[in-house]
Amino acid sequence: MSLSRSIAIAGVHEHPTRWAPDRTASQIMAESARAALEDCGLGLVDVDGLFAAGMEMGPMGVVTLAEYLNLKPRYIDGTNIGGSSFVAHVAHAAAAIHAGLCRVALILYGSTAASNAMAIGTGGQIGRDPATAFSTPYGLTTVGSYALVAQRHMQKYGTTSEQLAEIAVTMRRHAVLNPVAKMRSPIRIEDVLASRMISEPLHLLDCCIMSDGGGALVVTSLDHARDLKQKPALLLGSGEAVWHQEIGAPDLLTIAAKQSSDEAFRMAGVTRDEIDLCMIYDSFTITVLVTLEALGFCKPGEGGSFIESGAISLGSALPVNLDGGGLSSNHPGMRGIFLVIEAVKQLRRECGPRQVEGAERALVHGTGGLLSTLHSGATLILERDR
Amino acid sequence: MTKPIKHPRPGVDWETRAYWEGCGRHELILQRCRSCGTLQHRPRALCVSCLSDEIEHFPASGRGTVYSFTVTHQNQAPGFREALPYVLAYVELEEGVRLLTNIVGCSPENVRIGLPVEVEYAQLEGDIAVPRFHPL
């Protein structure tokens, strides 16, 4: 039996906290695990596969987490490919379940990045690692890495700051409809353009917010998921990719999402026209624009006009990030897990005012790392069970 | 005019020593594979096209153009917070390799994609220097 359409996401939970000075990252993961298992009607005793990654977790982080949860999984995966890790974990869990290596996989993330005052976007890189020696002497920041892509895109295609700002405005409009989103006051394009410049051409409001938070996913076979409490979200296709400097001549405008989504669409056997909504890692506005192009929803260079036409707004042909995304809802250091959680909730049609009407199929794409030096991409295509 | 940047000292190991020591002599050293001719950067012990270890080093011209850049207005890291706003850039060398670097010696608002630039070196303690670029 093919892997596609045989595995499902059965339970999800997004921790509602955005500021948790009174919690640890492990606690947020455990609370999320409890709620996601309750969501589908399982218990910790049913879990035999554990998947996690985190900025606050050491190299043996998953082992420490298993100890914290008093779990003895028979399948363990601590893959860390940056913020996209959890999107990849779903594919890895599906492969493990399909191969019979585990039956119920729990995927966890938790972080107190904001209350710990972690400087992620503009903390700069320090350290003497020879592998990063070619960027550390120059003051590369996370924002700067994405800004290099934005500048190149603007020069090559005439993309404007207003077009990028439209992404932030749209995410905020969606966040207004999400009761747990951190930023819920509407903004206009002028507000984005008037916000402080961080790394040209990216303003403060072109950058994702900082928050605490976490979440959990429960993955199992479709047959098992159908016996549980919630309508399953089937996994149709998945893909992963790593993009890097290619022996010293990076093409900043072709990103990992091209390879990973081509693979995911091939596996899923559906076309782009059949996708009802997208969850795209919006670390910065430019990330959404180049990802939409790489996913094939518009041609290279046409991202700006595509977005300007209102195409990614709720009620349009391809609504993106209905929860408000990292730009407005939450961004506790790594965001991949929230992309999957919102996609599943949309497919279950439980999102109230921000619900995409009749949502049948969702595409999830996570970007991890620094877009212009070294990054990963992971794509999933999910479908509402019949 | 850009403000002086105090570049953090790069980590140097066996594979990258020739590059950084070259910078100390004011030579921008690139690698070429003697077996298959592939040009590569950053330096590695093996050719990543054919895995040969017949790697030769040669000095690049030191001239190129700005491939992309960002005027950085926020960075809390020491050495950079005092230099804001500074210009982070990819420079495409005449040889085809792109280096992450800083553009210095001009007003940040005068930096453009395609601007012709030339290498210069910021001497650090010891025999190591950090290459960066100014407009030609």
Side-chain angles (χ1 to χ4, degrees):
Chain A
M1 192 169 70
S2 144
L3 174 62
S4 178
R5 295 181 181 275
S6 68
I7 307 294
I9 301 169
V12 298
H13 181 71
E14 179 185 311
H15 203 294
T17 189
R18 298 297 186 263
W19 178 248
D22 54 343
R23 282 179 169 84
T24 66
S26 302
Q27 183 185 357
I28 291 173
M29 285 191 262
E31 289 173 355
S32 301
R34 178 176 62 201
L37 289 165
E38 272 170 14
D39 178 53
C40 61
L42 291 172
L44 207 50
V45 66
D46 300 303
V47 174
D48 61 354
L50 183 62
F51 297 69
M55 301 180 82
E56 290 114 308
M57 296 171 92
M60 293 239 306
V62 188
V63 177
T64 311
L65 178 64
E67 191 270 348
Y68 183 95
L69 294 168
N70 194 28
L71 263 182
K72 289 194 173 150
R74 61 188 179 112
Y75 197 88
I76 308 159
D77 185 335
T79 301
N80 188 337
I81 56 169
S84 54
S85 298
F86 315 91
V87 181
H89 287 168
V90 172
H92 296 187
I97 293 161
H98 194 247
L101 301 177
C102 64
R103 182 159 184 258
V104 175
L106 182 61
I107 301 172
L108 296 179
Y109 181 62
S111 168
T112 54
S115 54
N116 280 345
M118 283 172 75
I120 296 168
T122 57
Q125 295 183 342
I126 344 173
R128 296 185 172 189
D129 179 1
T132 55
F134 296 87
S135 54
T136 47
Y138 302 114
L140 173 70
T141 64
T142 306
V143 190
S145 152
Y146 287 77
L148 288 168
V149 175
Q151 194 83 264
R152 181 84 193 161
H153 202 280
M154 286 177 158
Q155 192 266 349
K156 184 164 180 189
Y157 297 120
T159 306
T160 64
S161 288
E162 286 78 3
Q163 291 170 334
L164 291 178
E166 180 66 37
I167 298 167
V169 170
T170 306
M171 297 309 102
R172 185 62 61 88
R173 199 181 303 129
H174 295 164
V176 169
L177 305 173
N178 178 3
V180 294
K182 184 171 178 180
M183 309 298 272
R184 301 190 65 207
S185 309
I187 52 171
R188 299 161 306 163
I189 286 176
E190 305 86 87
D191 298 321
V192 180
L193 301 184
S195 66
R196 193 170 83 240
M197 190 60 88
I198 304 293
S199 196
E200 293 178 26
L202 301 180
H203 307 77
L204 180 67
L205 293 180
D206 284 299
C207 304
C208 65
I209 59 170
M210 286 285 294
S211 73
D212 295 334
L217 302 166
V218 180
V219 183
T220 188
S221 67
L222 177 61
D223 289 343
H224 186 202
R226 281 178 174 158
D227 293 335
L228 301 176
K229 273 164 65 180
Q230 301 288 353
K231 184 168 271 296
L234 277 77
L235 176 64
L236 301 192
S238 65
E240 290 168 40
V242 170
W243 229 247
H244 49 71
Q245 299 197 27
E246 293 169 78
I247 328 182
D251 171 5
L252 296 189
L253 302 183
T254 312
I255 67 166
K258 170 87 175 83
Q259 182 188 322
S260 64
S261 65
D262 281 349
E263 185 66 34
F265 273 111
R266 204 164 25 243
M267 180 174 161
V270 298
T271 64
R272 284 161 181 80
D273 294 343
E274 294 174 273
I275 301 296
D276 299 314
L277 67 110
C278 280
M279 292 299 301
I280 294 177
Y281 202 131
D282 57 341
S283 45
F284 302 95
T285 50
I286 184 65
T287 322
V288 176
L289 190 149
V290 291
T291 303
L292 282 167
E293 292 179 358
L295 294 175
F297 290 109
C298 56
K299 292 201 180 84
E302 292 180 0
S305 49
F306 183 73
I307 285 153
E308 209 167 31
S309 75
I312 65 169
S313 213
L314 177 62
S316 303
L318 192 73
V320 172
N321 295 355
L322 288 310
D323 61 341
L327 288 164
S328 284
S329 178
N330 64 343
H331 196 290
M334 299 166 89
R335 184 158 210 282
I337 202 160
F338 307 112
L339 304 173
V340 184
I341 293 169
E342 177 70 10
V344 170
K345 287 181 172 176
Q346 287 283 340
L347 294 175
R348 291 186 193 169
R349 302 178 187 167
E350 58 186 38
C351 293
R354 68 177 197 276
Q355 178 63 48
V356 174
E357 213 176 312
E360 292 283 347
R361 247 161 260 105
L363 182 144
V364 173
H365 183 81
T367 296
L370 300 186
L371 201 58
S372 60
T373 57
L374 182 60
H375 75 271
S376 70
T379 310
L380 299 175
I381 297 173
L382 304 174
E383 186 178 272
R384 175 184 167 87
D385 193 18
R386 56 184 157 70
Chain B
M1 204 63 158
T2 49
K3 293 179 207 159
I5 295 169
K6 193 170 180 299
H7 301 281
R9 192 179 179 79
V12 178
D13 63 10
W14 187 89
E15 290 189 281
T16 59
R17 185 169 301 281
Y19 177 83
W20 293 111
E21 288 182 353
C23 292
R25 298 190 306 273
H26 292 194
E27 284 182 346
L28 195 57
I29 300 294
L30 299 178
Q31 289 188 328
R32 189 188 292 118
C33 175
R34 285 203 191 96
S35 284
C36 74
T38 297
L39 198 71
Q40 69 183 20
H41 183 77
R42 61 188 173 85
R44 295 148 165 100
L46 304 163
C47 167
V48 292
S49 290
C50 72
L51 295 179
S52 161
D53 50 15
E54 294 292 310
I55 298 290
E56 63 178 358
H57 293 96
F58 70 98
S61 71
R63 286 183 301 274
T65 53
V66 173
Y67 176 78
S68 193
F69 72 100
T70 176
V71 181
T72 309
H73 293 264
Q74 186 172 317
N75 183 351
Q76 297 155 23
F80 294 100
R81 61 184 171 221
E82 303 84 0
L84 298 168
Y86 63 88
V87 183
L88 175 78
Y90 266 116
V91 163
E92 183 165 68
L93 297 178
E94 287 176 345
E95 290 79 4
V97 161
R98 290 178 198 141
L99 301 176
L100 197 67
T101 188
N102 298 124
I103 307 296
V104 297
C106 64
S107 180
E109 56 262 34
N110 290 338
V111 177
R112 296 281 175 273
I113 290 174
L115 181 75
V117 290
E118 183 175 45
V119 71
E120 62 169 63
Y121 297 89
Q123 195 65 39
L124 304 186
E125 275 175 39
D127 46 11
I128 284 178
V130 170
R132 61 220 196 146
F133 290 77
H134 60 255
L136 257 181

